[in-house]
Amino acid sequence: IVWQSDDEVGKLVSEYNQMLLKLEKSAELLAQSERESAWREMAKQVAHEIKNPLTPMKLNLQYLQHLIKNDAPDFKDKFEKASAGIIEQIDSLANIASAFSNFAKLPGTRLQTINLVEIITSAQLLFLNQKKVEISNTISEKEVWVKGDRDQCLRVFNNIFKNAFQALEDQEFPHITISIEKKKKKVIVSIKDNGCGIPE
């Protein structure tokens, strides 16, 4: 507010203007703090999404190295399965990295018709050759089509399998069961492990 006279009203106007400046500065600091907090949260999320498949990918490659050294007779078949899973995971990681560099955000949802069985199998393949965990995949169908985002679904199942494996670390006979149930227009995927569970 502009007020020329140096009277009581002028003093009030001056105080009001000072308060506006302080409020504007506080708002800027708050916005900056919120931006920094959002960046930290985003960076944590991206790091989480990228780290999840890296360990099983490494273990799969070490498993393939082991097969080569031991001249495994069925190496070609195992190599094709393991490499297909690794390539899909690499593609997913590349998409996350591209999206993060594009204005630093996780990719938006791209809805398409996807085969849920294929995605679950791809995520499962990544974890097959580690820790001697028995995985029972009871899904009999070869195709279960749903609307979804392929990369996001793959990351979801990566997360779930990783959590299951972590819960089985101290289990003597670690076991994971995968099943699918169709209900009208819904598909329910169940992944159960016999690990420690979550405390009440």
Side-chain angles (χ1 to χ4, degrees), residues 115-121 124 137-145 178-183 186-189:
N115 183 0
L116 209 51
V117 177
E118 187 188 330
I119 290 168
I120 292 168
T121 304
Q124 178 195 337
N137 191 335
T138 64
I139 303 171
S140 56
E141 297 97 324
K142 290 190 176 175
E143 295 176 346
V144 174
W145 297 97
I178 309 164
S179 60
I180 272 184
E181 182 186 355
K182 292 183 191 173
K183 283 193 172 180
K186 292 182 182 178
V187 176
I188 299 168
V189 180

Side-chain angles (χ1 to χ4, degrees), residues 37-53 93 96 100 104-107 152 155-156 159:
S37 175
W39 270 97
R40 278 196 297 271
E41 195 55 42
M42 191 183 293
K44 268 181 4 189
Q45 180 67 22
V46 171
H48 175 74
E49 296 291 354
I50 286 173
K51 278 168 66 180
N52 265 349
L93 291 176
I96 295 169
F100 189 62
K105 61 182 179 183
L106 285 173
Q152 288 180 8
R155 296 206 303 274
V156 165
N159 271 318

Side-chain angles (χ1 to χ4, degrees), residues 165-179:
F165 270 76
Q166 286 173 338
L168 291 166
E169 280 177 0
D170 299 322
Q171 186 61 251
E172 192 176 356
F173 301 107
H175 186 264
I176 294 172
T177 306
I178 309 164
S179 60

Side-chain angles (χ1 to χ4, degrees), residues 10 31 65 67 72 77 95 112 126 134 137 146 154 164 170 182:
Q65 286 176 331
L67 291 177
D77 183 47
N95 287 338
Q112 53 192 303
L126 203 58
E134 186 186 346
N137 191 335
V146 297
L154 189 60
D170 299 322
K182 292 183 191 173

Side-chain angles (χ1 to χ4, degrees), residues 1-199:
I1 299 175
V2 178
W3 187 263
Q4 304 297 340
S5 303
D6 190 17
D7 50 16
E8 289 175 349
V9 175
K11 285 177 183 175
L12 280 173
V13 167
S14 177
E15 285 297 317
Y16 173 79
N17 288 340
Q18 287 298 317
M19 284 302 295
L20 273 185
L21 290 170
K22 286 178 183 175
L23 187 62
E24 187 178 3
K25 191 168 184 182
S26 294
E28 282 174 7
L29 287 170
L30 180 62
Q32 184 181 344
S33 171
E34 285 176 347
R35 278 196 299 273
E36 285 174 0
S37 175
W39 270 97
R40 278 196 297 271
E41 195 55 42
M42 191 183 293
K44 268 181 4 189
Q45 180 67 22
V46 171
H48 175 74
E49 296 291 354
I50 286 173
K51 278 168 66 180
N52 265 349
L54 287 180
T55 302
M57 282 167 72
K58 181 182 175 182
L59 288 167
N60 264 289
L61 287 169
Q62 288 172 335
Y63 171 71
L64 291 175
Q65 286 176 331
H66 170 76
L67 291 177
I68 287 175
K69 281 180 188 173
N70 291 281
D71 240 354
D74 54 349
F75 173 75
K76 189 179 177 185
D77 183 47
K78 287 182 176 174
F79 175 80
E80 282 177 5
K81 281 185 181 176
S83 60
I86 291 169
I87 288 166
E88 181 152 20
Q89 297 290 346
I90 289 169
D91 288 342
S92 179
L93 291 176
N95 287 338
I96 295 169
S98 299
F100 189 62
S101 63
N102 263 346
F103 200 52
K105 61 182 179 183
L106 285 173
T109 301
R110 289 173 301 161
L111 278 182
Q112 53 192 303
T113 304
I114 54 174
N115 183 0
L116 209 51
V117 177
E118 187 188 330
I119 290 168
I120 292 168
T121 304
S122 184
Q124 178 195 337
L125 274 173
L126 203 58
F127 293 85
L128 274 181
N129 305 312
Q130 57 174 310
K131 292 187 182 175
K132 296 183 179 176
V133 175
E134 186 186 346
I135 301 178
S136 299
N137 191 335
T138 64
I139 303 171
S140 56
E141 297 97 324
K142 290 190 176 175
E143 295 176 346
V144 174
W145 297 97
V146 297
K147 285 281 186 189
D149 183 299
R150 186 178 184 83
D151 282 345
Q152 288 180 8
C153 279
L154 189 60
R155 296 206 303 274
V156 165
F157 288 111
N158 282 346
N159 271 318
I160 294 170
F161 282 125
K162 185 184 177 188
N163 291 344
F165 270 76
Q166 286 173 338
L168 291 166
E169 280 177 0
D170 299 322
Q171 186 61 251
E172 192 176 356
F173 301 107
H175 186 264
I176 294 172
T177 306
I178 309 164
S179 60
I180 272 184
E181 182 186 355
K182 292 183 191 173
K183 283 193 172 180
K184 293 182 181 175
K185 292 186 177 181
K186 292 182 182 178
V187 176
I188 299 168
V189 180
S190 298
I191 298 174
K192 299 178 184 178
D193 63 72
N194 62 340
C196 57
I198 302 169

